[in-house]
Amino acid sequence: MTIYQSQPSNVALGNTTYKAFSETTGIKAHYRDASGSTSGTKAVTSGDLKFDLTYGFSEQILSGSVRFKLGNSTFIDRDGLIYRDVNPSNGSGIQSGLIRLGTGEIELSSWTPGQTNSLTLESLITTTDLPPINKISFRTPIIPIRPQSMTIVVASLEHGQLTLTADENGVIETSRAHGQVNWDNGFVTIYFYTKTKITEANRAEIEANDWYDPLLEYQEGVDTYINVPVWVDASSVRYNAVAYTYIPLDSEILGLSATRLPIDGRVPIFRVGGIGIVSSSKAQELPSVIAGTTYNLNDQRISWAELEDANGTKVPFDLYTVDYDYGRVTLGGDFVLGNLVAPLSVKYRYQDMGLIRDVQINGQLTFTKPLTHNYDAVDTIVGSALVIGDMQARYTRKFVQGSWNGTWADEPVGATIPANYNDALYPIQVTNKGAIQERWYIQFTSTTDFRCVGEYSGQIGTGTINADYAPINPVTGVPYFTIKKEGWGSGWVNGNVLRHNTVAANFPVWVIRTVKQSEPTVLSDQFQIMLRGDIDRIA
């Protein structure tokens, strides 16, 4: 009897999944019983190496419990990823594939070549008491979080490790994860699902799942969709984030009590029902510098404009005029450059003011009326307005006393005197342009003559009861106040005092500028305060 040794006649590439022996299918063997073929060798490049650790068992693998050897390399799992040859001193290893904790499948994309292909399982823990989830919510222990600094790692049961990051608005949006991070309070909510279109081919498969409910279906146009859950291991959730901590504000350095300020020192400036200002600042170069010429700007209905030369030197305001309604700048008829350097540029600004109807946490503001200009994101800012209300100059605290004792009190000091000023019929006249915030006293130097002294202004002049007294404000060119001659009564003697206060048409505003801690990048810096006002016009 002759026995022929087996020799390969050809090599065919194939993808075969090897499983445990089954009595139903048995073992299939292929052989030949004839000689005549020569032997040969062919190299085959293998793809990913796949095997199932829980074949035949419907159990979930606990994250971090897998350890096996392939050849001389040791492999472990970390949050859905497989690493090999981990250095015990620093924990670093080579990422070699992924593991599906729900199905037990492992895909190795990298291993040490030239070693034996014997697989030895050293550690594995499975459970049936840890139900998977498709939603996670947690809050960071330290707040606020620096935007775009959070990375969340979670192991899914079917797709391996998911690494998630949030954009500047805190939105997490991938094909399998959808969530939101609140940078201010550190609260994170993520839903895991895959948006799937329901068709006749997959409806039966979808409805066969335990989680299926007809109420989960929704329409988009003519198509029907359902969010298929992506199950994750709750114990595998990890995150990294950068949080801010703040040094307590020193009231002496700050100049005000910080008791009621937020811990980060930032005060919310936008509120529903408040006033918001949308402002765009631009610059436009004039094509020429010709006296008496009118130049049209690129925008109309502007709120502010000024002229500068090439070096940034401001052109005196009396050398040009601005038509704010039509957006035009006209150089004066006698305009000359002089020390100015051409070309000249117009810096201007246009704005819209509106009532805020809604404020979103992502910074979106909604006004009660539409904007009336076109705004570009590059040169546009949005700010809130400090509403001052109506202002009007006035005088208060008019009284008389026998003499001046050097004390700026708002009540008369000493015995009453018979002389007085009749402000019921002849009130002291003040104007918004002339009045300042000041306390005044008028002290008689004789029976008819007097001098006027301010608490901060000092002596500003002298007068007589035989003529109207109207001391001029040197800044505005109009009187601080006007006292009518008809209001003076009789009985004034040397040393008598008439006291009154003037209240200016202004509003106290604290301007505090904050610069964050950093190395200086420029040698100079500046800012500008702009007052926006409305007036009543008399035709």
Side-chain angles (χ1 to χ4, degrees):
M1 179 178 179
T2 303
I3 300 177
Y4 298 98
Q5 296 294 328
S6 298
Q7 295 182 0
S9 59
N10 68 317
V11 177
L13 297 178
N15 187 4
T16 305
T17 303
Y18 295 98
K19 301 181 179 179
F21 170 74
S22 174
E23 296 181 355
T24 58
T25 59
I27 298 177
K28 296 180 180 180
H30 298 272
Y31 64 93
R32 68 180 180 87
D33 56 1
S35 63
S37 299
T38 59
S39 62
T41 302
K42 184 175 183 179
V44 178
T45 302
S46 174
D48 293 349
L49 182 60
K50 301 179 182 179
F51 51 91
D52 190 349
L53 295 181
T54 58
Y55 177 74
F57 300 93
S58 179
E59 297 179 6
Q60 178 182 336
I61 298 176
L62 293 181
S63 178
S65 68
V66 174
R67 180 186 178 93
F68 63 90
K69 294 190 68 174
L70 182 62
N72 296 329
S73 298
T74 302
F75 296 76
I76 64 172
D77 80 296
R78 289 177 178 172
D79 299 328
L81 296 179
I82 298 294
Y83 293 84
R84 77 172 188 272
D85 299 331
V86 177
N87 188 337
S89 62
N90 55 25
S92 64
I94 303 173
Q95 182 178 332
S96 304
L98 61 88
I99 180 173
R100 297 181 174 90
L101 300 177
T103 61
E105 297 178 354
I106 290 180
E107 293 185 12
L108 292 183
S109 58
S110 172
W111 57 87
T112 304
Q115 298 184 3
T116 61
N117 58 358
S118 59
L119 178 66
T120 304
L121 183 62
E122 297 183 343
S123 173
L124 174 64
I125 301 176
T126 61
T127 181
T128 57
D129 298 330
L130 186 63
I133 61 174
N134 70 327
K135 175 191 175 182
I136 60 174
S137 296
F138 64 90
R139 182 178 180 181
T140 59
I142 302 177
I143 57 174
I145 303 298
R146 191 182 74 185
Q148 294 182 283
S149 69
M150 175 172 284
T151 300
I152 303 170
V153 178
V154 60
S156 67
L157 302 188
E158 299 180 2
H159 307 285
Q161 185 185 90
L162 302 179
T163 302
L164 311 174
T165 57
D167 62 15
E168 60 182 4
N169 295 321
V171 177
I172 298 174
E173 189 63 39
T174 68
S175 60
R176 299 187 178 103
H178 318 265
Q180 178 76 40
V181 179
N182 190 314
W183 304 120
D184 294 327
N185 57 32
F187 193 80
V188 181
T189 301
I190 306 176
Y191 295 88
F192 297 92
Y193 63 84
T194 301
K195 181 180 178 181
T196 305
K197 180 180 178 181
I198 300 178
T199 63
E200 294 181 0
N202 64 7
R203 175 172 284 278
E205 179 183 357
I206 293 175
E207 292 180 354
N209 292 286
D210 295 337
W211 52 263
Y212 173 78
D213 191 314
L215 297 177
L216 298 177
E217 298 183 12
Y218 58 92
Q219 295 289 133
E220 287 190 4
V222 297
D223 297 324
T224 303
Y225 291 87
I226 192 170
N227 294 333
V228 177
V230 174
W231 303 109
V232 300
D233 181 4
S235 64
S236 68
V237 180
R238 304 287 185 273
Y239 74 89
N240 292 320
V242 177
Y244 290 114
T245 57
Y246 297 93
I247 302 174
L249 298 174
D250 190 334
S251 299
E252 295 183 359
I253 297 177
L254 188 62
L256 53 84
S257 175
T259 304
R260 300 181 62 184
L261 291 177
I263 59 173
D264 58 0
R266 296 183 300 176
V267 179
I269 63 174
F270 297 108
R271 296 180 178 86
V272 175
I275 301 296
I277 306 292
V278 183
S279 177
S280 180
S281 300
K282 296 182 178 180
Q284 182 176 333
E285 185 177 299
L286 299 184
S288 62
V289 183
I290 303 175
T293 304
T294 298
Y295 302 93
N296 293 322
L297 302 179
N298 295 330
D299 300 281
Q300 297 181 346
R301 293 185 294 109
I302 62 177
S303 59
W304 168 85
E306 65 180 15
L307 212 55
E308 292 184 356
D309 72 351
N311 295 330
T313 303
K314 297 184 184 300
V315 179
F317 295 108
D318 57 353
L319 297 182
Y320 63 94
T321 58
V322 180
D323 187 333
Y324 293 95
D325 292 330
Y326 292 96
R328 298 169 182 168
V329 175
T330 303
L331 299 181
D334 56 349
F335 180 85
V336 291
L337 277 175
N339 295 328
L340 301 173
V341 180
L344 300 182
S345 297
V346 181
K347 290 187 175 181
Y348 66 94
R349 182 179 300 122
Y350 55 85
Q351 299 175 326
D352 275 299
M353 180 174 65
L355 191 67
I356 298 176
R357 181 172 60 87
D358 184 45
V359 179
Q360 295 293 330
I361 196 171
N362 60 2
Q364 179 178 334
L365 301 178
T366 304
F367 290 91
T368 57
K369 66 178 183 178
L371 301 179
T372 62
H373 293 89
N374 294 325
Y375 293 93
D376 299 325
V378 177
D379 49 34
T380 301
I381 61 174
V382 180
S384 62
L386 176 62
V387 180
I388 297 175
D390 295 337
M391 296 186 299
Q392 184 175 354
R394 61 192 186 277
Y395 77 95
T396 62
R397 301 286 184 178
K398 193 273 305 182
F399 61 88
V400 295
Q401 61 187 39
S403 62
W404 176 248
N405 62 357
T407 302
W408 289 98
D410 287 333
E411 300 294 338
V413 178
T416 60
I417 59 175
N420 205 339
Y421 179 84
N422 187 358
D423 65 330
L425 297 179
Y426 306 100
I428 300 174
Q429 298 176 0
V430 293
T431 62
N432 292 341
K433 191 174 183 179
I436 63 173
Q437 199 79 16
E438 182 63 290
R439 294 196 286 190
W440 310 94
Y441 76 82
I442 294 177
Q443 185 177 30
F444 278 79
T445 57
S446 67
T447 58
T448 58
D449 299 328
F450 56 80
R451 63 190 181 105
C452 181
V453 180
E455 181 179 10
Y456 301 101
S457 304
Q459 182 168 322
I460 60 172
T462 59
T464 176
I465 63 175
N466 298 319
D468 294 344
Y469 181 62
I472 299 299
N473 184 334
V475 177
T476 60
V478 297
Y480 288 111
F481 54 86
T482 301
I483 299 179
K484 303 296 289 182
K485 62 180 181 180
E486 292 83 1
W488 296 105
S490 59
W492 295 98
V493 298
N494 184 21
N496 287 169
V497 171
L498 170 66
R499 270 275 290 113
H500 72 283
N501 301 338
T502 54
V503 180
N506 55 22
F507 188 82
V509 178
W510 282 31
V511 180
I512 301 177
R513 192 170 187 222
T514 302
V515 179
K516 295 184 178 180
Q517 295 179 356
S518 62
E519 294 297 327
T521 56
V522 294
L523 297 179
S524 62
D525 199 4
Q526 61 181 355
F527 69 97
Q528 187 179 56
I529 299 177
M530 180 177 182
L531 298 179
R532 179 188 178 98
D534 300 314
I535 62 173
D536 295 330
R537 299 182 183 273
I538 300 177

